Amino acid sequence: MFEARDDHAPSSHSGFPDGTSPGLPSTHNSFAVSPSSNPPASDPSSSNIPLPDSETVIGLLGTLDAVDATFDDILAGLAVCDASATLSLAARLARLAARLEGLTIRTHVHLAQLRPPGLGDETGDPYSAFAADELAAELAQSPRTMSSRLSTAWEIADQLPAALADLTAGLLDHTRLAALHQLTACLTAEERATVEAAMLAGGRLASPPRWRRKIHRLVARLDPDAAAKRRRQARAGRMIGIQALDEGMATLTAVLTAEDARAIYDRINQIARTDARTDGDTRSIDARRADVLTALLLGNRREHVTVELQVIASVGTLAGLDDNPAELVGFGPIPGEAGRALAADARWRRVLTDPVTGTVLDLGRRRVPTPELARLVRHQQSRCVFPGCGMPATQTDIDHTVAFADGGDTALDNLGLLCRHHHRAKHRGNWQLDQPQPGVFRWIGPVGREYITDTHDNDGESLLPHEDRGNWTSPAPNSIRARSGRQPVPHQRAPLDEPCRF
């Protein structure tokens, strides 16, 4: 479905970027992308970007609103489609999804063009270090995620313009474009363009794996040393990572050289299989491997290993009066049972909270040499207060919302946690921040959009929609069903001017 058409020659595209945002269709019945009237620029950092025209912007948003409405029509008509029609629809939607991916990349790059690097930018990127934060706040995404996406989008627009043009035209899918971007990263710009042209001139092949194998062969022919280069680049990316899972679990990952990873796994596996099972040991082999890894790293006698974990739990949970979840700082909720197990062999300090709102009111005697007010702020806010940022309190700065030099008090209602990047964004990135109430932070972005972070609002993590924080009671089942009733499909769309909710 991604074969080239006669009316579109991939090689004829100069591709984005061109200093202007891409055109959009004038009617909602067409999905064609109008070519820009400006001559193409050599890279995404082209200047001379025209000032926004209000009528044009209104027209673009109106066009998107009309396109958005068509999805409701498609969803409503899906029920009457037979198998053949459904396959045709799936193919058409795949092409439109590719076009949306291409347009999204162009949109992100266009915003970066509108945000040139400023004084003090330390990233070395050709756009502001805080451009990704605007996207993250508007789309309700992690700033780190959007930073990676924006960097990738810029590189694709700069290094693979023809492939991006094909993506935007629906002639190439994002999976194949991502493979082309990834596997040619070790090449020079000229070699990369050669591989791009060769791949786009041919068919899209039957599957992404075959597409990737063809790229590998082309890269090897162009640069016999490419495999060694890729290995050096890959080796430089060694890392350890952790990702939270449900039910108080987590995934620990390690990116290592293949020989080291194989040797580590073989040793763990050998110990797990040869260690005699004790009576009643019903652990699976995978569980035994996990336990061996833990023992090798932490030791069988954990009292000899000093690891600091911050866990917040209510008195009722610790006393076994309820099973409300505890909070592992920097990770998230863990089962009450796990919180009690950690409490059995730990040093604790009292944290007094409001039983209705959950607001931290007071702390007990400190156990680390930090000011009591700093401990109070870190416990109340727990992470960076920029929208979507998950940097834990232990890795943040305590910032005066109103600068101390400007008369701001060093008090609970004028202090907030900011990671180093968003601390810089406040002072250098044209972001404004105030704290209308203690623990409630209002951010205003460079274009005047407002975002609220309420550090007291944990309802989305700890309460069901029908539960009340004060008495933890639930209404009758009928009222639950009445609240959760869904509206008909055509009314499910959110207005275009609302921030993304997912």
Side-chain angles (χ1 to χ4, degrees):
M1 64 184 140
F2 292 106
E3 293 298 326
R5 302 193 315 260
D6 292 338
D7 58 343
H8 177 83
S11 60
S12 66
H13 281 270
S14 60
F16 192 86
D18 60 6
T20 62
S21 58
L24 283 173
S26 58
T27 66
H28 71 272
N29 292 325
S30 170
F31 290 92
V33 178
S34 304
S36 170
S37 59
N38 294 342
S42 59
D43 62 69
S45 59
S46 303
S47 55
N48 303 321
I49 298 176
L51 295 176
D53 179 85
S54 59
E55 293 185 2
T56 301
V57 172
I58 292 174
L60 291 177
L61 295 179
T63 300
L64 287 177
D65 197 18
V67 171
D68 201 16
T70 63
F71 292 116
D72 293 330
D73 298 335
I74 294 171
L75 185 59
L78 182 60
V80 299
C81 291
D82 60 13
S84 177
T86 302
L87 288 173
S88 297
L89 184 62
R92 175 63 171 166
L93 289 174
R95 179 171 179 268
L96 293 180
R99 303 201 69 176
L100 287 174
E101 290 275 8
L103 189 55
T104 298
I105 291 175
R106 293 173 182 266
T107 303
H108 290 178
V109 173
H110 185 67
L111 177 66
Q113 289 178 303
L114 297 172
R115 297 288 182 261
L119 293 177
D121 270 1
E122 302 172 356
T123 62
D125 291 328
Y127 50 82
S128 169
F130 311 112
D133 298 297
E134 287 188 76
L135 283 170
E138 183 67 19
L139 303 180
Q141 297 291 323
S142 159
R144 181 176 296 182
T145 296
M146 290 312 303
S147 177
S148 176
R149 291 181 185 176
L150 183 57
S151 176
T152 299
W154 185 278
E155 186 171 339
I156 287 174
D158 182 31
Q159 297 291 322
L160 301 170
L164 178 57
D166 274 14
L167 179 70
T168 310
L171 303 178
L172 187 71
D173 63 339
H174 188 268
T175 301
R176 288 171 170 82
L177 174 62
L180 185 62
H181 170 255
Q182 175 190 358
L183 299 179
T184 59
C186 61
L187 301 177
T188 66
E190 182 179 356
E191 292 170 339
R192 203 172 200 179
T194 300
V195 174
E196 177 190 34
M199 293 302 298
L200 297 181
R204 299 303 179 252
L205 304 180
S207 66
R210 292 183 60 185
W211 172 269
R212 293 177 65 92
R213 286 195 292 272
K214 182 177 179 181
I215 297 174
H216 276 300
R217 289 193 294 270
L218 287 172
V219 169
R221 289 176 60 188
L222 277 175
D223 187 356
D225 297 328
K229 291 181 183 178
R230 288 199 304 271
R231 178 173 173 80
R232 288 194 295 269
Q233 291 177 349
R235 181 179 173 81
R238 300 185 309 281
M239 60 170 289
I240 295 290
I242 185 170
Q243 180 179 0
L245 299 177
D246 295 333
E247 313 301 339
M249 303 297 286
T251 296
L252 180 68
T253 58
V255 178
L256 308 169
T257 62
E259 56 271 22
D260 287 345
R262 184 76 253 179
I264 291 171
Y265 181 86
D266 287 346
R267 183 181 181 191
I268 291 173
N269 186 56
Q270 183 181 20
I271 297 174
R273 290 188 178 278
T274 57
D275 188 16
R277 289 194 175 193
T278 60
D279 293 339
D281 187 354
T282 59
R283 292 177 298 167
S284 68
I285 185 61
D286 285 331
R288 292 173 65 81
R289 291 189 189 106
D291 293 342
V292 168
L293 174 64
T294 303
L296 288 173
L297 292 179
L298 299 182
N300 290 319
R301 301 294 299 276
R302 294 195 182 195
E303 60 267 30
H304 298 310
V305 181
T306 302
V307 179
E308 179 177 320
L309 298 176
Q310 289 186 336
V311 181
I312 302 174
S314 67
V315 173
T317 299
L318 295 179
L321 301 177
D322 58 54
D323 282 317
N324 293 335
E327 179 83 9
L328 179 59
V329 175
F331 178 87
I334 60 175
E337 181 182 0
R340 284 191 292 272
L342 290 172
D345 184 24
R347 296 178 181 179
W348 291 90
R349 65 169 177 264
R350 175 176 58 88
V351 179
L352 180 62
T353 62
D354 187 305
V356 176
T357 65
T359 301
V360 177
L361 302 177
D362 186 27
L363 290 172
R365 293 177 58 83
R366 68 186 185 188
R367 65 180 177 90
V368 291
T370 53
E372 183 174 337
L373 181 58
R375 292 192 288 112
L376 180 62
V377 171
R378 292 190 187 279
H379 273 276
Q380 181 191 57
Q381 298 173 17
S382 76
R383 55 181 52 86
C384 174
V385 300
F386 186 86
C389 185
M391 189 67 70
T394 54
Q395 302 179 41
T396 58
D397 302 328
I398 297 181
D399 170 69
H400 286 75
T401 306
V402 177
F404 184 79
D406 296 334
D409 295 329
T410 305
L412 182 62
D413 60 357
N414 190 49
L415 296 177
L417 299 182
L418 296 178
C419 68
R420 188 57 53 86
H421 175 77
H422 291 121
H423 202 162
R424 292 174 52 239
K426 175 193 170 189
H427 294 288
R428 302 179 185 176
N430 295 323
W431 283 86
Q432 301 176 37
L433 174 64
D434 65 357
Q435 195 174 168
Q437 302 174 30
V440 178
F441 297 85
R442 177 170 58 200
W443 291 84
I444 300 178
V447 298
R449 292 183 179 268
E450 182 178 298
Y451 310 93
I452 300 294
T453 299
D454 186 348
T455 61
H456 306 130
D457 184 10
N458 292 318
D459 288 347
E461 298 182 3
S462 58
L463 293 181
L464 298 174
H466 56 275
E467 292 174 329
D468 178 74
R469 181 185 291 275
N471 53 30
W472 205 268
T473 58
S474 301
N478 287 339
S479 61
I480 298 176
R481 285 193 294 268
R483 291 189 194 180
S484 61
R486 298 188 63 180
Q487 297 178 343
V489 168
H491 300 286
Q492 294 296 317
R493 276 188 302 113
L496 287 173
D497 56 352
E498 285 190 8
C500 183
R501 296 180 180 178
F502 52 84

